Every structure is written in C-alpha cells, then in structure tokens.
Amino acid sequence: YAIVEQRADMGGTWDLFRYPGIRFDTDVFTMGYRFKPWRNAKNLADGSDVRAYVSETAAEFGIVPNICFGHRVLSADWSSADACWTVKVRRNSDGDVVTYKANFLYMAAGYYDYEAGYRPEFPGEANFTGQIVHPQHWPEDLDYSGKTVVVIGSGATAVTLFPAMAEVAKKVVMLQRTPTYLYPVAQTSTLDTWLRKIMPANTAHAITRRWNIGMQRFAFRMARRNPERMKRNLLKWAREKLPADYPSFEKDFVPPYNPWEQRACAVPEDDVYKAIASGKAEIATDHIDRFTAKGIMLKSGRELEADIIVTATGLNLVTMGKMAMSVDGEPTRMSEHYYYKGAMFSDIPNMVSIFGYVNASWTLKADIVADYVCRLLKVMDAKGAKIANPKLGKTDMPRLPFVGEFSSGYIARSADNLPVNGDRHPWRVLQNYHAEKKILTKDPVDDGVLLFSGPTAAIVHHQEELIAAE
C-alpha cells in the first residue's frame, strides 16, 4: 500500500491549522485512535499535542515508510477491463506527474478545501486600514498582543479563538449573526484519571472511550427526542456561568434552531464565560453593513473598531479532495451516486471513502470503515474476485441529503456536489455509531447488493476461447 499525502508532514487538519487555541472540539478518547491510548491529561487535545500523537502512532506501527509526502492527487480513473485504478499524482518538489496503479482506492481526504476557507466578500473591505486574517491561513508572525480584535463567526473556530486571543489582546469581540449552542467539557477526564489508578492504561482508555461514545449518543438522542429540555439545560448552564448583569442573553446565547440541528461547540473549563467576565471579551450579535477604515459598521449603527479582523466564516466543503474521477471513461459526479453502508458508493467499484460523524467524533466512523475494508478485502480474496461493486439497479428511491436534518452552512453550500442518501438499507447513512458499527463490522459483507466479479477483459478473453473451441 501507499499513502499519498499532499502536505510535507502528517497531521492533516492539525498540521494545517495553527491559529491560537486550536484543539479538538470533541473529547480525545473518541477522537483519538482506539488502539493507541491517549496518555495526556487533557480531555480536549491541543493542535500541537495532536500532531505529536499522530506522528508517534505512525512511527510505532511502521506506517511512515509507506507515506509519500508532497504528492497531490489529480485524478483517479477506474478500468473494469483491468480491475484497476490509475491514479495521477503531481509531485510538489518538481511538478512532475507520476502514475500509481491500484487494485483498491481508499479515500481519506477529509471534507474541506485545503487551499482556501469560505470567505464571503464584505462591502468596503478595501477601506479597512488594519489586517484581515482567515484562520485557515494564520500568519506565524501575527502579533495581536495589546490590540483590538474582531472575530467574525460563531462556529467552533470562532469559539476557540475568542477566549484564546483574549488572554493577550486588549479586547476581542466575537461578531455573530446568530448564536451557537455551547456545551461544557471538563479539561481533564475524571473517569480516566480514576481508572488509571486501578488498572492498566489500555484498559482504562477502552472503558473511558466506550463511556464517552455512549454519552455522545445519549446527548444527541435527547436533543432529537426532547429538544426543548436539552435547550433549557444548555441555556441554564450558560446563564449560570455569565455575569448576573449580562445585558443581552437572549440575543447572544439563544440560537433560532434546536440543539444539534447544527453542530454545537465545546467550551472547556468555561473559557468563553471567563473571558467575558474578565471584561476583555465581548459577543456582538448583529449583521455587517460594511467595513470602514477603523473596523466594521453594523446594521444597528454601531461601529466595532479593530486593529485585526479574523474571518472565522467557515470552510469550503469538497469531495474526494477535489480529485477528478472517472469510471470506464465516464466522468463521475458524486451527486449522482448513493452512499452504500456509509462507506462505498453506488456503481463505483473498489473504492471506499471516509466521511465521519457530524454528531460525534470523526474517528469513530474512520475506525469502523477501516474494519469494513479489511473484511471486504478478505472476502474478495476468498472468492478470487477482483471487483466489488455496490450495484444500485433500477429504483424509485428518493435522493435525500446524506446528513439529514443537519443545516450547517458548509453542508448547505455544498449540497449539490455531495453524494446522496437513500431511505432504506444499505443506501442510507445513519449518523449512528452503534448501528453502523454492527453493519460494518458484523453484518455479512456478501449481502447480495455488493456484486463480486473479475476483470471484464478476462471475461471477454474467456468468451473468445469458448467461441474458438466451438
């Protein structure tokens, strides 16, 4: 096997993003590897700790020699005649295009555009005399100590930046159009700390991981079954953490949607509320009218002065790392294909792609998809098959969004380019770890939908031999 990586080092997201406070937004026991215990006391790992953890794991399990760094995939073309993918890759060092041949293609390219984040154009930007920064391309030498900063956004990136920058900035304002649900997370895991005192680290890690998976699922189910109760609990917690005289709670902390209709944001050790209580941080809920020389003029008529404006406005979602793809010479549009078991796609042979959970840690899905690939390859070997193809056939199945009721902007902006969800098994993505774990790790691989065969060239050759014999 070969792992083709466009960056110069491993780590993906955690190597690319270097903004202040960058960290996991879910607990490390479910975001980390199940087979590699997390030994740091932190529950929400910092970006630098994540990079070290990933590198250590890759070295420990002998993965590094198989990684081709500085290689960007351009295209992948499937040939049924040869039962083979031809993958074109550009080498960053000299620009040369090299070719890989592969029996099986396993896409772990993430879901957003590494080249640029989502960045709307604001009226009057050219008038602003300060600096505008996007978190995806954070300048290493940016000095914001003693300066006034406006962070545009209310998602995980903004919620992370807001308290982190307030530690050294003169003032930080998080400018949001609508609030996001915030939920508390302890910086250390009491359960894991206690378990490590009485049992081996691997066992403690496994138990903590299982507990946290259950709690994630419980919270999401509660949000779906009784959204009003979940909403009351989250808002009650927020009220308790804010100063008693906070002037605009409804406007700044009550979203116009139910919990988990968009992704909620973790707040470790009440850092957002502590920043507000310190007087160095503020939330402003309003719409931008235009940029000015001094900062941002809001629709309400208020002007937010700033030395630095951070546009934490989101990501651009892409499929397959923007790789061009074709099957037997026909260009492939992912929006024309249904997900199969949340891992493969209708009528695209010998390819698996990982898209993690929107309501839990990404790695949970990566784990069970990896299990499924191993099972699939073993079945193919046992059958002597070279091709495994999820065949859809004729159907009146509706074309549904693959993330269901999830309405976050980065999903909505890219809906026309994403694979679709069906309304029945195995064409339906469930966003349910326990259910999909059974499907991918226990249910039969040979299910009558996934068709196994050999190369069509071999079939044609065999038919020609029969004709010649007759």
Side-chain angles (χ1 to χ4, degrees), residues 149-221:
V149 181
V150 173
V151 179
I152 302 174
S154 61
T157 300
V159 169
T160 301
L161 276 166
F162 178 59
M165 297 187 76
E167 293 179 5
V168 297
K170 178 182 178 181
K171 180 71 176 290
V172 180
V173 179
M174 187 170 82
L175 173 57
Q176 59 182 17
R177 288 183 299 181
T178 55
T180 297
Y181 285 106
L182 308 177
Y183 65 93
V185 177
Q187 189 58 276
T188 59
S189 170
T190 304
L191 175 62
D192 184 67
T193 302
W194 179 75
L195 289 174
R196 286 178 190 236
K197 294 178 181 179
I198 60 175
M199 61 182 62
N202 285 17
T203 306
H205 176 86
I207 293 173
T208 304
R209 181 181 173 89
R210 181 170 293 185
W211 171 263
N212 287 2
I213 290 171
M215 292 304 295
Q216 285 179 0
R217 187 61 192 164
F218 173 76
F220 184 74
R221 289 172 64 186

Side-chain angles (χ1 to χ4, degrees), residues 104-162:
F104 203 93
L105 194 59
Y106 193 136
M107 296 301 298
Y111 66 101
Y112 62 87
D113 191 341
Y114 268 51
E115 294 177 338
Y118 176 64
R119 173 68 166 82
E121 293 294 326
F122 297 104
E125 280 189 42
N127 298 324
F128 181 56
T129 57
Q131 189 170 1
I132 301 175
V133 177
H134 193 285
Q136 190 163 322
H137 301 286
W138 195 267
E140 292 184 10
D141 59 349
L142 182 66
D143 180 13
Y144 54 91
S145 58
K147 295 183 179 180
T148 301
V149 181
V150 173
V151 179
I152 302 174
S154 61
T157 300
V159 169
T160 301
L161 276 166
F162 178 59

Side-chain angles (χ1 to χ4, degrees), residues 270-281:
D270 305 333
D271 62 357
V272 167
Y273 305 105
K274 289 177 181 177
I276 293 172
S278 74
K280 295 184 65 180

Side-chain angles (χ1 to χ4, degrees), residues 1-18:
Y1 69 93
I3 300 173
V4 182
E5 168 59 55
Q6 70 170 321
R7 297 185 63 75
D9 201 352
M10 67 185 73
T13 297
W14 313 105
D15 182 53
L16 174 66
F17 283 88
R18 301 296 182 102

Side-chain angles (χ1 to χ4, degrees), residues 102-423:
N103 306 110
F104 203 93
L105 194 59
Y106 193 136
M107 296 301 298
Y111 66 101
Y112 62 87
D113 191 341
Y114 268 51
E115 294 177 338
Y118 176 64
R119 173 68 166 82
E121 293 294 326
F122 297 104
E125 280 189 42
N127 298 324
F128 181 56
T129 57
Q131 189 170 1
I132 301 175
V133 177
H134 193 285
Q136 190 163 322
H137 301 286
W138 195 267
E140 292 184 10
D141 59 349
L142 182 66
D143 180 13
Y144 54 91
S145 58
K147 295 183 179 180
T148 301
V149 181
V150 173
V151 179
I152 302 174
S154 61
T157 300
V159 169
T160 301
L161 276 166
F162 178 59
M165 297 187 76
E167 293 179 5
V168 297
K170 178 182 178 181
K171 180 71 176 290
V172 180
V173 179
M174 187 170 82
L175 173 57
Q176 59 182 17
R177 288 183 299 181
T178 55
T180 297
Y181 285 106
L182 308 177
Y183 65 93
V185 177
Q187 189 58 276
T188 59
S189 170
T190 304
L191 175 62
D192 184 67
T193 302
W194 179 75
L195 289 174
R196 286 178 190 236
K197 294 178 181 179
I198 60 175
M199 61 182 62
N202 285 17
T203 306
H205 176 86
I207 293 173
T208 304
R209 181 181 173 89
R210 181 170 293 185
W211 171 263
N212 287 2
I213 290 171
M215 292 304 295
Q216 285 179 0
R217 187 61 192 164
F218 173 76
F220 184 74
R221 289 172 64 186
M222 285 293 293
R224 284 289 187 259
R225 292 180 178 180
N226 196 337
E228 285 301 317
R229 181 180 177 184
M230 175 66 75
K231 181 176 180 177
R232 284 197 304 271
N233 289 340
L234 290 174
L235 298 183
K236 178 176 181 291
W237 170 73
R239 281 185 185 277
E240 291 173 350
K241 299 300 180 182
L242 285 166
D245 59 349
Y246 190 84
S248 53
F249 181 81
E250 294 290 329
K251 183 178 181 182
D252 295 340
F253 286 92
V254 182
Y257 53 85
N258 287 326
W260 280 110
E261 287 181 5
Q262 296 185 21
R263 192 171 182 114
C265 292
V267 176
E269 303 298 336
D270 305 333
D271 62 357
V272 167
Y273 305 105
K274 289 177 181 177
I276 293 172
S278 74
K280 295 184 65 180
E282 175 191 350
I283 293 178
T285 306
D286 209 323
H287 287 71
I288 295 173
D289 181 70
R290 66 187 186 279
F291 279 37
T292 66
K294 295 180 179 180
I296 299 175
M297 181 64 69
L298 304 178
K299 294 286 188 182
S300 63
R302 179 187 177 188
E303 184 176 20
L304 298 178
E305 294 189 3
D307 301 303
I308 300 170
I309 295 174
V310 181
T311 55
T313 44
L315 307 167
N316 284 321
L317 194 150
V318 297
T319 58
M320 308 301 163
K322 299 200 292 188
M323 173 186 76
M325 187 164 58
S326 65
V327 174
D328 293 327
E330 292 293 324
T332 299
R333 294 186 70 246
M334 294 309 301
S335 59
E336 296 174 353
H337 296 267
Y338 288 84
Y339 263 102
Y340 169 79
K341 295 185 175 179
M344 300 180 76
F345 304 95
S346 59
D347 303 306
I348 301 181
N350 289 28
M351 189 188 80
V352 161
S353 181
I354 297 170
F355 195 102
Y357 293 113
V358 298
N359 57 10
S361 294
W362 187 275
T363 315
L364 295 178
K365 184 63 174 286
D367 268 349
I368 56 177
V369 171
D371 288 336
Y372 177 75
V373 170
C374 293
R375 296 177 69 218
L376 171 57
L377 295 177
K378 288 178 180 178
V379 169
M380 292 175 72
D381 285 346
K383 289 177 170 290
K386 299 298 182 183
I387 299 175
N389 190 8
K391 294 297 291 183
L392 181 63
K394 293 183 179 180
T395 180
D396 59 353
M397 189 163 49
R399 302 169 63 84
L400 305 174
F402 85 101
V403 287
E405 299 175 354
F406 199 67
S407 61
S408 287
Y410 68 93
I411 296 289
R413 289 193 300 269
S414 305
D416 292 343
N417 298 318
L418 298 175
V420 294
N421 208 6
D423 63 353

Side-chain angles (χ1 to χ4, degrees), residues 45-102:
D46 295 334
S48 57
D49 294 331
V50 176
R51 292 196 303 275
Y53 172 73
V54 170
S55 297
E56 179 183 307
T57 305
E60 180 180 337
F61 288 89
I63 304 300
V64 180
N66 295 85
I67 305 177
C68 304
F69 291 108
H71 286 64
R72 177 171 182 168
V73 176
L74 303 176
S75 64
D77 304 292
W78 168 259
S79 168
S80 297
D82 301 317
C84 182
W85 286 98
T86 299
V87 183
K88 299 288 186 181
V89 179
R90 177 179 290 122
R91 193 163 50 213
N92 292 343
S93 59
D94 54 18
D96 284 354
V97 175
V98 295
T99 300
Y100 288 81
K101 297 283 188 178

